[in-house]
Amino acid sequence: MSLHEQAVVSILSSLALSFDGAVLGAALAYAAIRSIISFRSNASALRRLREAPSVGVSDLRSLLPPDDSSSSSGSGDSVDISEAAEGSLVILRGTVEFKSAVDGSWKNFKPSILVSQETGDKAVIIQRTQTCIYNEWKGFLWWTSDLRSIFAKSWRERESTSIRTVPFVLIERGRWQLGDFVIVNADGSKHPLPLTTVYHQLQPISASPYTFFQALFGHEYPIGLLDEEKILPLGKDITAVGLCSMRKGIPEIKSCKDLPYFLSEMSKDEMIVNLGFRTKVLFWSAIVLGSFSIGILGFSFIRNWRRWKEWRQRQDQEHHAQRNASAQDEDASEDTESADVPDGQLCVICLMRRRVSAFVPCGHLVCCRRCASSVERELYPKCPVCRQSIYGSLRVYES
């Protein structure tokens, strides 16, 4: 790790541990909340997968509700129509076949099947990915590349992906009949596809005249192009998990957004085991992260509360010290000025200092500040002149 990377790590750790770890505790609390949300969604998906029936293509029609066209021509019950349109959640195991082979649309001149350019395999989905690989060397002035590697990696597009699809269906292997098939509707689905890699090649890129200067100053430059092709071939056995309904007498399955699977090579039991493991990991992650966040936030709150109390005590002590110092300065000034005070302005108690404190509420100005304070500290303070009960005194200044 370079010096600047160590500096970045030090800055990030200082930020995380600031306010006695409050920032780190808040980040862990956010991660715990996200883990709880993911756990709830995965637990719901696991429950639905366990309850969903696993059937074959030939046995699917017996589980589906009636066709939406027939229900719309009946009494017109909107609830039944919406339930039929939504479909039932099923787990279906079948073999991939292109749609033209079962619906009889041989007169359609549009291409109904895809062929891989590299291997010649027939497929219904072809995904071509080209990834540009850049150098890892920082150069002699590597500090500029360090900062750019942190903030500017996403500025340049490193990967381009193109995908081609044709309509396809799932049939039952071995005893397939012409009417037993399910149309796969993958429109709007963001689930991963069970694609097979058929082509994988790394092509080097020739260096340009500016490559030496790019390497000298730590700028990234391409060194290779990774070309990869994945397909969903015909005859591959896959599992479809989704909402299945009848459309014009033909069963159709589409993805469910609440489930993490749509088309997969795993069976129902493998999906349940995989999703159950993920659910347990999310559950314990939420507990551990939540416990750590509560402990760190509690420690941070107590430490900052104690620091605030100590700061308040220091402020009060400084305030009292300033008041005592000002009082001592005033007493010292009164002592120095007592020699020049006429007899009519001397304190009636000590007869040494000037009268500067007036009692409240009687208003008699007869005592110095020190004697007025001693009178106020008595059990039943009274004015030494009128003997009226007092509750305080005021410092009187002559202009």
Side-chain angles (χ1 to χ4, degrees):
M1 183 181 294
S2 62
L3 295 177
H4 288 273
E5 290 176 351
Q6 294 178 0
V8 171
V9 171
S10 177
I11 292 173
L12 294 177
S13 61
S14 300
L15 178 62
L17 298 177
S18 58
F19 299 102
D20 292 324
V23 177
L24 178 61
L28 291 177
Y30 175 75
I33 293 174
R34 292 297 301 269
S35 299
I36 292 174
I37 295 174
S38 300
F39 164 74
R40 294 184 60 182
S41 62
N42 279 268
S44 176
L46 180 61
R47 177 182 55 81
R48 296 184 64 183
L49 279 179
R50 287 174 175 172
E51 296 176 354
S54 179
V55 297
V57 178
S58 59
D59 301 329
L60 184 62
R61 293 179 180 270
S62 61
L63 298 177
L64 296 181
D67 194 357
D68 53 359
S69 60
S70 61
S71 62
S72 61
S73 61
S75 59
D77 192 352
S78 60
V79 177
D80 295 339
I81 294 175
S82 61
E83 291 179 355
E86 184 66 20
S88 303
L89 181 64
V90 296
I91 300 177
L92 182 67
R93 188 73 178 179
T95 304
V96 177
E97 185 64 59
F98 60 97
K99 188 173 181 296
S100 300
V102 296
D103 61 2
S105 58
W106 298 103
K107 297 181 180 180
N108 191 358
F109 293 100
K110 295 182 180 180
S112 58
I113 194 171
L114 301 176
V115 180
S116 173
Q117 298 179 359
E118 306 296 338
T119 62
D121 296 337
K122 296 180 180 181
V124 293
I125 298 177
I126 296 181
Q127 178 179 319
R128 194 71 178 264
T129 304
Q130 291 183 342
T131 305
C132 191
I133 301 176
Y134 289 82
N135 71 310
E136 297 290 339
W137 188 51
K138 302 291 195 308
F140 293 106
L141 304 177
W142 41 264
W143 61 272
T144 56
S145 179
D146 277 348
L147 298 179
R148 185 170 57 253
S149 64
I150 296 173
F151 300 104
K153 270 190 175 181
S154 60
W155 291 356
R156 184 180 302 177
E157 186 176 359
R158 297 172 178 261
E159 182 179 286
S160 62
T161 302
S162 62
I163 185 169
R164 293 183 297 162
T165 61
V166 294
F168 65 98
V169 297
L170 294 180
I171 62 175
E172 192 162 356
R173 180 184 291 271
R175 50 190 182 91
W176 170 60
Q177 299 179 2
L178 186 60
D180 292 336
F181 64 90
V182 178
I183 299 176
V184 178
N185 185 2
D187 296 338
S189 174
K190 297 182 180 180
H191 296 80
L193 297 173
L195 303 180
T196 303
T197 302
V198 294
Y199 181 73
H200 187 88
Q201 184 178 5
L202 178 62
Q203 301 175 359
I205 297 178
S206 302
S208 64
Y210 302 101
T211 302
F212 173 75
F213 297 100
Q214 290 176 335
L216 179 64
F217 293 100
H219 291 281
E220 296 180 344
Y221 57 91
I223 59 176
L225 183 64
L226 180 62
D227 196 357
E228 187 177 19
E229 187 179 57
K230 296 181 179 181
I231 66 172
L232 181 61
L234 297 179
K236 183 175 183 178
D237 293 334
I238 61 174
T239 302
V241 182
L243 300 174
C244 194
S245 59
M246 299 294 291
R247 293 289 184 271
K248 298 180 180 180
I250 301 175
E252 181 184 63
I253 189 169
K254 60 181 180 179
S255 63
C256 181
K257 297 181 179 179
D258 298 333
L259 298 179
Y261 305 108
F262 175 42
L263 300 177
S264 176
E265 298 178 354
M266 296 185 294
S267 62
K268 177 181 178 180
D269 295 335
E270 293 175 345
M271 291 181 184
I272 292 176
V273 171
N274 188 15
L275 191 57
F277 176 75
R278 289 165 54 183
T279 304
K280 290 181 180 179
V281 170
L282 289 172
F283 174 76
W284 289 109
S285 299
I287 291 179
V288 172
L289 292 175
S291 302
F292 273 107
S293 64
I294 292 174
I296 294 175
L297 290 175
F299 172 78
S300 174
F301 176 78
I302 293 175
R303 284 290 300 273
N304 285 280
W305 174 258
R306 289 179 178 176
R307 288 182 179 180
W308 181 79
K309 289 180 66 177
E310 292 175 357
W311 177 80
R312 285 294 303 272
Q313 290 177 359
R314 288 196 301 268
Q315 293 291 327
D316 294 339
Q317 291 175 359
E318 292 177 359
H319 182 66
H320 288 306
Q322 292 177 359
R323 290 180 58 184
N324 293 332
S326 62
Q328 292 177 0
D329 294 339
E330 290 179 358
D331 294 340
S333 63
E334 291 177 1
D335 292 340
T336 56
E337 295 175 356
S338 62
D340 300 333
V341 177
D343 295 339
Q345 296 182 5
L346 290 175
C347 174
V348 298
I349 297 178
C350 65
L351 298 176
M352 294 176 59
R353 289 175 291 274
R354 185 188 297 272
R355 304 175 182 181
V356 294
S357 296
F359 292 108
V360 180
C362 64
H364 287 128
L365 182 63
V366 292
C367 292
C368 64
R369 182 177 181 82
R370 190 177 301 177
C371 294
S373 299
S374 63
V375 171
E376 292 177 6
R377 288 195 295 269
E378 294 179 357
L379 184 59
Y380 299 103
K382 294 182 180 180
C383 177
V385 177
C386 63
R387 308 303 298 173
Q388 182 180 354
S389 298
I390 61 173
Y391 56 83
S393 63
L394 295 175
R395 176 70 163 84
V396 178
Y397 296 91
E398 295 181 358
S399 59

